[in-house]
Amino acid sequence: MKLDSASAAVDGLRRRLRTVVVFLATGTSGVFGSYALAGYSPEFVVSPIANFLAKSMPSWVVTFGILVLGDFGQHLNLLASVWLGAGLLGLAPTVVIRMTENRRIQLAGIAGAGGANFLIAYALTNAFGSSIGVAVGTAVPTFVIIAIGWDDDHSFPNGTSTVRRQIVGGVLSAVGIGIGGGALARLGAFGTAKRANRGSLSGSPTENVAPAELLKLADNRSFEIGGVEPLVSREFYEVDINAANPEPSAEDWNLEFTGAIDSPFSVDYREITEMESEHRFVTLRCVGEKLNGRKMDNALWTGVPVAGLVDRAQPIGNCECVMLRAVDGYFEEFPIEALRSGFLAFGMNGQKLPRRHGYPVRALIPGHWGEVNVKWLTDIEFLDREVKGYWEKRGWHGTGPVNTVAKLHAVNRLDDGRIQIGGHAYAGIRGIDDVEVSINGGGRWQRADLSERLPGADVWRQWKFEYTPPETSHEVAVRAVDGTGTVQPKDTSGPFPSGPSGWVRRTVRP
Ligand SMILES: Nc1nc2c(c(=O)[nH]1)N[C@H]1C(S)=C(S)[C@@H](COP(=O)(O)O)O[C@H]1N2
Ligand SMILES: [Mo]
């Protein structure tokens, strides 16, 4: 008797475990089913959940995430969204599995659960393929678990070994779908992903000579310092609000000029790329980065000046301000004057603009913080009164000119015992005239070597400095002098709300 009640307890526990496994296995394989067909794209069932979370989070949470968690915050959001998605998709199958012993009803239930999840996924993603993936992904383990139940001899209803096999079957089928789905996504077998943005810029051979030569120039002018990017970044940072970036097709792309203008018009990708293009070195820096952070980079961009299009629009609004909008729902507002000096880029380092940097077209606004350099640009809306942009609604002031900074990314010990330090300096369109180094914490300053200027009004420079270290540990400080002669201020402040400032300092041991 005693033994019986003990085994009954174990049995009850097992059943509860089965419910949990059913819930998790069917839900996660639903997510993987979507992944198999949509890949890591906005059509992936998790993307809209992650975007919803990111956009609806209170601004203090967002700010905390950016300042304290950094990039990990976005990963955390994604992870939470995967769990939420799996939870959502696990509900219907779990109900179905617990429903009945009648086979016909069970089969109808599996179809029903698949259908319900299809609808959920379709409501979220608006994408047929991805939703089919979800339906199949959840239906398969649901079927496997239920079918294992059919083997049961019913002498002991839903016997212990059956429950155990159901647990194993559920887990295995989910793992199988996970692996298969991952592989399919990899192959892009059903890929909705458009690869159109791969490859070099089209155009006549002479047009492509210019980027190649300019890149060579940048290469020649770059200092080679271990730990410091050359003048054209090898790895250009990425910051955006998306879990999975949008992938608009260039053929369907249009840039709309709307709002307070006489007659709205739009230009398409062909028109933009057939206008007389230019190649510009432009440096970007994110307002939310740490003082000595890595979210500042430089590239050679190909595109067209905005000024002509602004003239064509003839803005008549009262605020002299404009809103840029993008495919991902991002929007930023800033003065028309800044837009006038701007650039619409469709190429980067001699290649088509990569998806993560805003394919097919992004804005580049000289000297301003990264956030107004709107990627996946769709709308230029001239306004009648000022309204806040995406980040300003969350408390940031990141639409203005960048702060001056000299970064210290390398402290290298040379063979002869001396120390080499170096980094980049950037001051937007004010330009960099000097970088000064102190090896006694700011007491005495010496001039660093600067890389030769690259053509362009909004480009960083590299600096380097070599010295014989004192016997004791010492504090190195760096500061830049901008093109107006203004020295980078000493007082430090964090990135929030208007970008980091102060001198970069670092203690160096002999
Ligand atoms: N559409 C869109 N554009 C965007 C963003 C975004 O989230 N969505 N992020 C902005 C921010 S905060 C920065 S710092 C720059 C970064 O550009 P990058 O990712 O090409 O380095 O893009 C800006 N443009
Ligand atoms: Mo940014």
Side-chain angles (χ1 to χ4, degrees), residues 310-323:
V310 175
D311 286 341
R312 185 167 153 200
Q314 293 196 11
I316 51 174
N318 287 318
C319 68
E320 293 296 316
C321 60
V322 69
M323 179 75 84

Side-chain angles (χ1 to χ4, degrees), residues 55-382:
K55 283 177 190 168
S56 53
M57 244 179 259
S59 49
W60 67 267
V61 177
V62 179
T63 306
F64 173 83
I66 292 169
L67 299 181
V68 180
L69 303 176
D71 294 340
F72 182 65
Q74 237 171 348
H75 295 146
L76 216 59
N77 180 45
L78 184 63
L79 202 67
S81 310
V82 169
W83 281 106
L84 266 174
L88 206 59
L89 301 175
L91 285 176
T94 307
V95 171
V96 163
I97 283 168
R98 302 193 49 150
M99 209 167 50
T100 171
E101 303 262 312
N102 180 306
R103 275 189 205 190
R104 228 180 282 155
I105 298 179
Q106 283 179 331
L107 285 174
I110 295 169
N117 279 351
F118 175 89
L119 291 179
I120 291 175
Y122 196 78
L124 283 170
T125 62
N126 234 324
F128 186 77
S130 172
S131 310
I132 288 288
V134 163
V136 174
T138 45
V140 167
T142 312
F143 175 79
V144 167
I145 292 164
I146 286 180
I148 289 172
W150 292 341
D151 292 349
D152 202 9
D153 59 10
H154 287 265
S155 59
F156 181 64
N158 238 337
T160 299
S161 72
T162 305
V163 172
R164 197 187 293 142
R165 280 190 295 130
Q166 282 177 312
I167 290 175
V168 175
V171 170
L172 284 185
S173 55
V175 168
I177 286 187
I179 293 172
L184 281 179
R186 260 265 148 101
L187 291 170
F190 301 95
T192 47
K194 298 152 198 88
R195 304 271 172 250
N197 56 337
R198 295 273 171 81
S200 62
L201 285 165
S202 58
S204 68
T206 47
E207 276 177 68
N208 286 323
V209 172
E213 279 183 352
L214 285 164
L215 290 171
K216 208 193 283 167
L217 179 82
D219 211 33
N220 290 338
R221 294 188 178 176
S222 292
F223 288 154
E224 235 177 84
I225 312 167
V228 176
E229 285 265 26
L231 285 172
V232 167
S233 305
R234 287 194 198 99
E235 293 260 342
F236 202 103
Y237 80 90
E238 178 187 352
V239 172
D240 45 59
I241 59 173
N242 312 305
N245 287 328
E247 39 193 357
S249 86
E251 294 102 79
D252 304 337
W253 181 85
N254 261 307
L255 176 59
E256 310 278 346
F257 287 77
T258 63
I261 53 178
D262 268 339
S263 46
F265 65 96
S266 74
V267 287
D268 63 23
Y269 189 69
R270 273 252 321 261
E271 288 172 86
I272 289 272
T273 50
E274 283 175 0
M275 287 164 72
E276 192 156 346
S277 59
E278 290 176 16
H279 312 284
R280 290 190 190 178
F281 289 107
V282 176
T283 302
L284 293 184
R285 183 185 183 199
C286 183
V287 71
E289 77 154 357
K290 294 199 176 75
L291 176 62
N292 198 33
R294 300 269 177 179
K295 293 193 169 97
M296 177 169 103
D297 278 299
N298 185 55
L300 176 69
W301 310 85
T302 300
V304 296
V306 194
L309 292 162
V310 175
D311 286 341
R312 185 167 153 200
Q314 293 196 11
I316 51 174
N318 287 318
C319 68
E320 293 296 316
C321 60
V322 69
M323 179 75 84
L324 266 50
R325 296 181 192 279
V327 180
D328 57 349
Y330 185 75
F331 52 96
E332 278 300 343
E333 189 245 42
F334 54 96
I336 292 178
E337 199 191 306
L339 178 67
R340 266 189 185 284
S341 59
F343 197 56
L344 298 175
F346 50 80
M348 185 182 187
N349 299 332
Q351 305 286 109
K352 285 185 184 163
L353 191 63
R355 173 176 163 202
R356 64 176 192 285
H357 295 298
Y359 180 85
V361 176
R362 81 175 301 169
L364 292 173
I365 309 299
H368 285 241
W369 291 109
E371 60 166 66
V372 298
N373 296 262
V374 176
K375 308 191 272 189
W376 312 287
L377 181 65
T378 56
D379 289 86
I380 295 185
E381 183 191 351
F382 295 88

Side-chain angles (χ1 to χ4, degrees), residues 439-479:
I439 57 168
N440 64 353
R444 201 170 73 89
W445 293 88
Q446 286 165 277
R447 193 173 273 172
D449 288 337
L450 283 177
S451 62
E452 214 181 315
R453 289 178 202 275
L454 286 180
D458 182 26
V459 200
W460 69 6
R461 296 175 81 174
Q462 284 170 307
W463 66 270
K464 70 173 177 195
F465 186 77
E466 285 161 17
Y467 65 98
T468 309
E471 313 257 285
T472 55
S473 68
H474 52 286
E475 193 189 45
V476 171
V478 212
R479 65 185 189 192

